Amino acid sequence: ERILFRGGFAGSEDDSDEESRSSSYDEDMTFSEIMRRVHQNGPYITAFEGGGELNWIQNMTNEDWEELGRGLSNNTRLETVRFYGGALSDHRVDILFQGLTRSSSIGKLSFCDNELSVAGVQSMVP
């Protein structure tokens, strides 16, 4: 069974390691905490999502977006990545995809409610 955490991660209730499972999500989570979770590569974390209203999304630098792309790409358990609610712009998606295109596990991307132009979408193609 999968559990989806708004602005965080999805996993399984069968995950016995409490540290690798996000049973509660703190909207004030920092970028460093998010990246720590991404790098854990936990076996039950199969989805990642972030909304434009979240503090850590709003405060990300260009370097943070590139680091997040690399981190998500290197996580071999992630199957789904979702950004919504204005989290992405053409510029952010271009930076994110500089690292994200190397992923071998991500099969589904969802970018609902982001105002991306044709150029922004084209920047996703390696």
Side-chain angles (χ1 to χ4, degrees), residues 29-48:
M29 190 176 257
T30 67
F31 179 72
S32 295
E33 292 167 324
I34 295 292
M35 288 310 301
R36 180 182 59 80
R37 296 292 308 275
V38 168
H39 290 300
Q40 282 179 340
N41 204 15
Y44 298 104
I45 297 175
T46 59
F48 177 89

Side-chain angles (χ1 to χ4, degrees), residues 38-108:
V38 168
H39 290 300
Q40 282 179 340
N41 204 15
Y44 298 104
I45 297 175
T46 59
F48 177 89
E49 69 171 41
E53 80 285 356
L54 299 170
N55 288 336
W56 66 269
I57 292 275
Q58 294 173 11
N59 297 323
M60 287 176 67
T61 66
N62 290 345
E63 292 79 18
D64 292 340
W65 281 102
E66 190 172 354
E67 181 182 350
L68 180 60
R70 282 191 313 267
L72 294 175
S73 180
N74 291 331
N75 185 305
T76 60
R77 312 289 185 170
L78 285 178
E79 298 169 4
T80 303
V81 173
R82 178 176 177 247
F83 288 99
Y84 59 92
L88 294 176
S89 64
D90 286 346
H91 181 69
R92 286 178 171 178
V93 81
D94 182 45
I95 294 169
L96 177 70
F97 268 79
Q98 288 176 17
L100 191 59
T101 57
R102 294 183 305 272
S103 174
S104 62
S105 64
I106 297 172
K108 181 178 181 183

